[in-house]
Amino acid sequence: MIKDNFIQPTKKGVIAYDHILSFQTSIDELLITARSSYPANVIQAMKVIVSVCKLITEQVENNESRLTSDSKQTLYELKSRFSTALSDLLIAAKHHANGMGISPVSLLDHSAGNLSAVVVDLVRLVGMKDTDNNDQKGFQNDYNNNNTTSAYETNSNSPPSLSQIRSQLKDTDDNYSLLEQTYITPAELTKYLKNETDTIVQTIQNLLSALRLPQNGEVYSIITSLIKIISTIIDKSSSVCSSPSGYAYTRACRPILNELDQCSQRLSLLQKSQFISGAVATANAKRDLAKEAYEIAKYTKELINLFETD
């Protein structure tokens, strides 16, 4: 419900009001930290953001069955945008932490703005609710886990080193692996994508051959390989777009990555519904699977054309 230009909690809302407040505060804290004397601390600030985002997505997924078919389709698209936006922000934070004061804060602002826009759209779709005790406990547990006092925090005059901050990220959410990605240039990405195209073509050929045979689990494994390929392409491309040398490609790159992510999700649905052990895939499912595989090759080629330099 919107009142006086503000979204208000309702009884039918899904996302806890306190989670939204925590998200707002954590984003503000990230951007303030990015402008401080210790820009490497943005990695620590990201821990809280990821925790809040995790709680928000859990609440949405737990209530997904309540939505109409049209709303579920909208949610499907928002979840894809949410995942991409959060990954972009993680990568931007990593580059800012490594930038030693040189990396423009505007890159982090841009990624934070994109994630915030998706959260707004999520709230518009599923609504907010008043926070109950379980919601408060869930966030407090995650917050405490991500704010354990360490030796360097006892001395406010001594800024933490990047290695100290990163040590706190070990054994936490898998999303933090993005913070350790190696920086690559657009030219290096192009080379990688060209090499990956050969792998995709070979994988598609293996897939087409497997589809002609009785199901024996091979198709399931090939789909898994394709999904992993897509994930790596999206991560590497997003990393480049979030870097100073690749920022100019962001607007053109984002729609392509969104299409690849959609391909990945459709592949996953086909895999789980038609190609699990014991299932007999329909002719339509096989045709759809082949189509998605070719789409991956097409969008990878579009990325090559985008990043390739003369």
Side-chain angles (χ1 to χ4, degrees), residues 138-303:
F139 176 72
Q140 193 61 46
N141 288 338
D142 269 23
Y143 183 85
N144 289 338
N145 289 337
N146 287 330
N147 287 275
T148 304
T149 302
S150 57
Y152 67 76
E153 291 175 314
T154 60
N155 184 358
S156 59
N157 295 322
S158 177
S161 67
L162 188 57
S163 61
Q164 286 174 317
I165 297 174
R166 281 178 172 169
S167 68
Q168 286 198 319
L169 298 180
K170 292 180 180 179
D171 302 322
T172 59
D173 196 281
D174 289 341
N175 283 321
Y176 289 118
S177 63
L178 290 169
L179 295 171
E180 302 300 330
Q181 288 181 343
T182 303
Y183 170 77
I184 61 174
T185 65
E188 290 171 331
L189 176 63
T190 301
K191 183 178 179 180
Y192 164 79
L193 291 173
K194 287 182 176 180
N195 291 335
E196 201 66 8
T197 298
D198 295 335
T199 302
I200 292 172
V201 170
Q202 183 60 54
T203 304
I204 292 175
Q205 290 176 348
N206 294 340
L207 176 64
L208 295 177
S209 298
L211 286 174
R212 298 188 187 99
L213 302 173
Q215 286 184 226
N216 57 6
E218 184 178 0
V219 172
Y220 188 95
S221 299
I222 294 174
I223 295 174
T224 299
S225 298
L226 284 172
I227 291 174
K228 288 181 178 179
I229 289 172
I230 296 173
S231 177
T232 304
I233 289 175
I234 291 175
D235 287 348
K236 287 183 178 293
S237 300
S238 296
S239 176
V240 170
C241 288
S242 298
S243 69
S245 63
Y247 185 67
Y249 298 96
T250 301
R251 178 172 294 183
C253 182
R254 181 59 52 228
I256 302 174
L257 297 187
N258 286 340
E259 291 292 346
L260 278 172
D261 188 65
Q262 294 286 329
C263 284
S264 178
Q265 295 194 43
R266 288 192 293 267
L267 282 175
S268 181
L269 288 174
L270 283 169
Q271 182 187 44
K272 294 174 182 177
S273 63
Q274 297 287 329
F275 296 97
I276 58 175
S277 178
V280 178
T282 64
N284 285 340
K286 292 180 179 180
R287 183 173 61 250
D288 290 343
L289 181 57
K291 176 187 174 184
E292 295 300 335
Y294 283 117
E295 289 286 284
I296 296 169
K298 183 185 80 172
Y299 291 123
T300 302
K301 179 61 177 176
E302 289 185 13
L303 286 174

Side-chain angles (χ1 to χ4, degrees), residues 15 57 60 67 70-86 114-127 258 261-262 265:
I15 303 173
T57 55
V60 172
L67 301 178
D70 290 342
S71 294
K72 285 182 180 179
Q73 180 59 36
T74 302
L75 178 61
Y76 178 83
E77 296 169 357
L78 285 176
K79 286 165 69 175
S80 174
R81 286 175 52 202
F82 188 92
S83 176
T84 301
L86 180 57
N114 285 342
L115 180 59
S116 298
V118 181
V119 171
V120 170
D121 288 342
L122 271 175
V123 175
R124 284 179 178 274
L125 178 66
V126 302
N258 286 340
D261 188 65
Q262 294 286 329
Q265 295 194 43

